[in-house]
Every structure is written in C-alpha cells, then in structure tokens.
Amino acid sequence: MSNCCDRCKNRLCASKVPIFSNLSDSELIDIIKMTGHEEFKKGDTICFEGLEANTLYIINQGEIKLFKHTKDGKEQILHILTTGDFFGELNLLKGGHYSFSAEAITSTKLCTLTKDKMKSIILEKPGIALKIMETLADRLSSLETLAQNLATNEVEVRLAYMLLELKKEYGKETSEGIEMKIPITREDMSNYTGVARETVSRKLKTFEEEGVIKLVGNKKIIILDEERLKLMQ
C-alpha cells in the first residue's frame, strides 16, 4: 500500500465520482483537500468484515470485490466495483462495523473520506446524500436479487444474473455484441454465483455453443444474445 495523493490531486479524481458530478472545479478541489489517498496491489485487503467502519472509500482507479464468508467458510462475493464507485456508505452517519470485506482484484487507487469530513460535505451539499441513497437503494436491490438467485439450484439462472451484472459495469456495445473485459477469474465467478468453478466453466461453454455469449480467452466475454440471458432469470 502506498500514497497516491499528488497524482490524484492533479487529476481531480473526485470528478470521476457520480456523487460529486454536479460540483464545480473549486468545490471539487475543496473536497480533494479533505481526502486521504492510498494505493493497493492486487490481492490486498482494504477492510475486514467486523472491524469498526468510519470511512467512505472512493475508487479512483481499479477494481474491488466486496464479499462475506459463509458459515462454512466459503467466500460469497456481493459486489464487483470499479472506477467511480464507492463503498462504506452504510456506516457514514451512524457508525458501526463493516458487514463485508473488501479486496483489490487489480492494482487500485482509492480516495478516502472519514465520517466526520463526509458529514460536513453533506451539510453543505445535501444533494450528495440523495445520490448516496440512490446508489444504496440500487445495491440493496441487487443483493435481494442475488439472494433470490442463490436460493435456486438452477446454474444458468445464477450465471445469467452474474453476466448481466457485469455488463452494467463493463459492457461496451460493439458490432459483434456487448463486449466485457472483466477483471475477475473463474474462481471469483464461482464465489459470486455459489457454483463450483468447473461447473462455471462448463456452463459458460454451453452458453457459447448456444450462441448466447462468445468467450475470448479468460478475461473477455461478448454477450451475443442479451434477451436470452434476461429470460433465464
């Protein structure tokens, strides 16, 4: 872990974050002066489930997975986050403990705001609180859908949901279809869906044979038939 403060200031990293998108350059600079800046290598743990939470983390660059451990010790991925996303918002106003762990899945640069500093920003710019609430509502909805999908034994339902969620973050329209350059491994996909890694690989291959997706190596997937994926859910 290292400090990326100087480079972050020069790039006005706060402008990348949707909750700050309507602020002027001078307001962004004021916020940047309040932030801490850290770098994490792939595989570094950023926070642990159960520890006291008093920080908002904003992703300036990179990808992060939020996850919990099940009763039998298995990792269950909750969200995959990328540049412009943030986490730790649930405990900003009331305190408490992290309900998840966070790990960098690529080299990652983070900006941090303590609870007290974030409170002062919200008091001056209450519209930011509304945007945080909107993001929180979206995530709670995603978690509800994830829980419903994990309750089913149908592998294709779980994988279809995962692919559509990844499409939201990484999907790019091309002439061939919706191309996704994804940072997660097949093992991560297994931990996301609760399906054995071998089953994930086998089912993705089946999707490809059926013309639903195209696999390009291990890090690129092209969605050829999005409607088929939606119908599987």
Side-chain angles (χ1 to χ4, degrees):
M1 182 181 70
S2 60
N3 190 288
C4 60
C5 189
D6 292 335
R7 282 170 288 170
C8 196
K9 285 182 179 179
N10 291 335
R11 295 179 184 178
L12 284 180
C13 66
S15 65
K16 298 180 181 179
V17 185
I19 59 174
F20 299 141
S21 60
N22 293 327
L23 302 184
S24 67
D25 283 352
S26 61
E27 289 171 324
L28 288 172
I29 290 172
D30 288 340
I31 288 176
I32 288 170
K33 290 177 180 177
M34 301 171 70
T35 60
H37 305 271
E38 297 178 348
E39 289 188 18
F40 293 85
K41 297 177 182 178
K42 178 180 178 180
D44 284 350
T45 300
I46 297 158
C47 65
F48 289 93
E49 180 179 0
L51 292 184
E52 184 178 358
N54 61 3
T55 302
L56 176 72
Y57 292 94
I58 302 167
I59 304 175
N60 182 26
Q61 181 180 317
E63 280 84 24
I64 286 171
K65 64 179 178 182
L66 305 185
F67 63 94
K68 295 175 69 73
H69 283 104
T70 62
K71 291 181 179 179
D72 55 3
K74 293 182 179 179
E75 181 181 296
Q76 174 60 60
I77 293 178
L78 306 175
H79 298 289
I80 302 294
L81 305 180
T82 189
T83 301
D85 288 332
F86 56 89
F87 59 97
E89 71 281 354
L90 267 176
N91 302 103
L92 273 183
L93 300 179
K94 67 179 183 65
H97 299 83
Y98 290 115
S99 58
F100 54 81
S101 296
E103 180 182 308
I105 53 179
T106 64
S107 295
T108 298
K109 299 176 183 178
L110 293 179
C111 301
T112 60
L113 282 165
T114 64
K115 180 172 64 175
D116 290 340
K117 289 179 179 178
M118 196 62 198
K119 278 185 178 180
S120 68
I121 291 172
I122 289 174
L123 287 174
E124 291 186 14
K125 300 290 179 182
I128 290 174
L130 180 59
K131 291 189 177 183
I132 290 175
M133 291 173 63
E134 290 172 350
T135 299
L136 180 57
D138 287 342
R139 289 189 187 163
L140 290 175
S141 177
S142 293
L143 284 177
E144 182 178 352
T145 304
L146 176 62
Q148 291 171 348
N149 287 333
L150 290 175
T152 179
N153 290 323
E154 296 184 30
V155 174
E156 70 174 22
V157 173
R158 302 186 189 190
L159 288 179
Y161 169 77
M162 178 195 71
L163 290 171
L164 291 172
E165 284 296 297
L166 290 172
K167 175 233 173 191
K168 294 177 184 178
E169 292 282 8
Y170 302 104
K172 180 181 179 182
E173 293 282 354
T174 69
S175 58
E176 191 172 7
I178 302 172
E179 181 180 300
M180 303 186 297
K181 294 181 180 179
I182 55 177
I184 62 174
T185 64
R186 295 294 189 264
E187 183 67 27
D188 288 327
M189 291 182 182
S190 171
N191 293 334
Y192 197 121
T193 59
V195 175
R197 182 176 60 183
E198 295 78 9
T199 304
V200 168
S201 297
R202 185 168 60 250
K203 194 61 182 179
L204 288 176
K205 189 64 178 177
T206 300
F207 281 0
E208 183 174 42
E209 292 169 352
E210 294 175 348
V212 179
I213 64 173
K214 179 180 179 181
L215 302 173
V216 185
N218 290 324
K219 292 295 186 179
K220 184 188 293 186
I221 297 176
I222 301 173
I223 297 177
L224 304 176
D225 193 340
E226 183 179 2
E227 289 306 311
R228 284 274 300 279
L229 289 176
K230 290 179 179 178
L231 288 173
M232 291 177 191
Q233 295 192 93

